[in-house]
Amino acid sequence: MKAVQYRKFGGGPEVVDIPVPQPGPGQVLLRVLAAGVCHSDLAVMSFPESAVPFPLPLTLGHEGVGEVAALGEGATGVAVGERVAVYGPWGCGRCAVCAVGRENNCPHAGRLGIFPPGLGAPGALAEYLLVDSVRHLMPIGELDPVAAVPLTDAGLTPYSAVKRSLPKLVPGSTCVVIGAGGLGHMAVQLLRALTPARIVALDVSQEKLDLAAEVGAHEVVLSDGQAASCIRELTAEVGAEVVLDFVGAQATTETAAASAAMAGDISVVGMGGGALPVGFGRLPYNVSVTQPYWGSRSELAELLALARAGAVHAHVETYSLDRAPEVYERLSKGGVSGRAVLVPNG
Ligand code: NAD
Ligand code: ZN
Ligand code: ZN
């Protein structure tokens, strides 16, 4: 089968031919219908070998939707042909954290060698994908696979971040969304669907700002050295109760710190290598800073329900699997609008 792999440190994604995997006990084989391309893959491919906890080659792709092609021995609960979304941050499945569905926070997964598909385990940028347990599969029902696949990360990660800050997103509050790309354009819609907050979107690209406005941002601001003072002005000097930074570069974490209101929440979601110093005098009083990682299983189920209700729509650009190297190149230059989705069996 065709697959997109990261094969050697310092290299780029390559389209290769590898054997179709066979499901072992408890596993499920999916025929991939859609796979999303996330900016985190570019971050992983930029890391030195010492910072990558799994061996290469790696089949990329941690957003996947597929149809069940075959069941391994003892795998029950899904039927061949059923269309499912893959919950990506696999945990051990047995600890107290996994028991409440927060497998993204499982403290044992790394030590046990359990990695998400596309971030250690073979991923979804391939014609077929092996999933270790039926537990990681969620039925998508009537949702279109291409439209649904960004929900598994570009939707789930901001959903989880927004949910955490819901108590602060009351009428009259402001939420700043930094970076209106794959995750950010979903964040704007999630804020619209779940809160009455005023949404201020920041980006360096006018096209991304236009997309943010189109999907529901009340204000858009160019992300530069003046952005924080602009946000202070828009909020009568109060600042934003919640700041979601989907870039995480030094410049954007500084904007986040300078934009937050007292007792606000800052979530640094992006992997841009920036740092946000916490300590007396560094941030407004009582600000909480979080570094989110993906979301829980129950949050993915909730988000799929929200999408079925028509409240969120990912903007997608679709491509064949062969075009993956070009798609990653475009993504690295900020050239993708919304989410790029590859259709391996199209
Ligand atoms: P993307 O490339 O689709 O979007 C990034 C957006 O940020 C683009 O619109 C770009 O124009 C904009 N941008 C770049 N520099 C900017 C700046 N200085 N100020 C404002 N906007 C700027 O990327 P994505 O797939 O949406 O991922 C966003 C980030 O989130 C990445 O760093 C990715 O690694 C990270 N991520 C984290 C998690 C997590 O669990 N923490 C999950 C998924 C993605
Ligand atoms: Zn991702
Ligand atoms: Zn666990």
Side-chain angles (χ1 to χ4, degrees):
M1 67 170 183
K2 268 188 205 167
V4 180
Q5 290 193 328
Y6 177 45
R7 296 182 62 80
K8 58 175 196 299
F9 292 99
E14 294 173 46
V15 181
V16 296
D17 197 42
I18 57 171
V20 175
Q22 298 304 313
Q27 292 183 317
V28 179
L29 183 70
L30 300 183
R31 184 170 164 270
V32 180
L33 299 172
V37 178
C38 180
H39 208 115
S40 298
D41 294 342
L42 294 168
V44 169
M45 288 188 276
S46 76
F47 291 158
E49 185 169 354
S50 58
V52 178
F54 47 79
L56 300 186
L58 169 73
T59 300
L60 293 160
H62 53 271
E63 288 185 347
V65 162
E67 89 190 349
V68 176
L71 299 170
E73 196 191 321
T76 56
V78 286
V80 169
E82 192 176 343
R83 291 180 163 195
V84 289
V86 180
Y87 174 75
W90 299 349
C92 74
R94 306 183 65 179
C95 71
V97 178
C98 285
V100 295
R102 292 219 153 268
E103 298 207 24
N104 54 321
N105 293 340
C106 174
H108 308 294
R111 181 174 46 82
L112 295 172
I114 299 168
F115 294 106
L119 292 166
L125 294 188
E127 288 173 81
Y128 290 88
L129 169 67
L130 261 191
V131 176
D132 277 357
S133 167
V134 172
R135 181 175 96 244
H136 306 312
L137 303 176
M138 304 240 171
I140 63 163
E142 296 308 308
L143 288 176
D144 172 60
V146 168
V149 77
L151 298 171
T152 59
D153 174 23
L156 178 56
T157 304
Y159 182 78
S160 189
V162 169
K163 241 192 117 174
R164 168 182 168 266
S165 291
L166 279 181
K168 294 182 181 171
L169 295 168
V170 295
S173 66
T174 298
C175 183
V176 170
V177 173
I178 307 178
L183 273 69
H185 92 289
M186 295 301 291
V188 169
Q189 297 180 56
L190 290 163
L191 287 160
R192 271 288 180 145
L194 302 175
T195 82
R198 180 158 63 146
I199 304 160
V200 182
L202 269 57
D203 206 293
V204 288
S205 141
Q206 187 56 47
E207 281 167 22
K208 306 298 179 81
L209 292 177
D210 292 345
L211 175 62
E214 192 188 319
V215 298
H218 299 91
E219 315 273 353
V220 296
V221 172
L222 197 64
S223 181
D224 59 15
Q226 305 306 307
S229 55
C230 197
I231 290 158
R232 295 249 159 228
E233 215 168 283
L234 285 169
T235 56
E237 300 305 319
V238 169
E241 282 72 13
V242 177
V243 182
L244 308 174
D245 181 358
F246 296 104
V247 181
Q250 191 54 38
T252 58
T253 58
E254 283 169 15
T255 298
S259 311
M262 247 190 250
D265 284 350
I266 300 175
S267 288
V268 183
V269 181
M271 294 168 65
L276 186 60
V278 176
F280 201 80
R282 303 289 195 133
L283 293 167
Y285 291 132
N286 286 314
V287 160
S288 306
V289 179
T290 313
Q291 179 197 306
Y293 174 61
W294 229 326
S296 69
R297 285 173 60 211
S298 58
E299 285 168 341
L300 181 56
E302 290 166 20
L303 180 56
L304 287 165
L306 196 62
R308 260 181 230 115
V312 287
H313 298 275
H315 276 240
V316 294
E317 297 181 356
T318 55
Y319 299 90
S320 66
L321 203 61
D322 291 320
R323 293 180 67 188
E326 169 199 338
V327 171
Y328 277 109
E329 183 67 25
R330 281 171 64 101
L331 186 65
S332 72
K333 295 191 167 123
V336 171
S337 177
R339 201 57 149 182
V341 174
L342 305 191
V343 183
N345 288 287

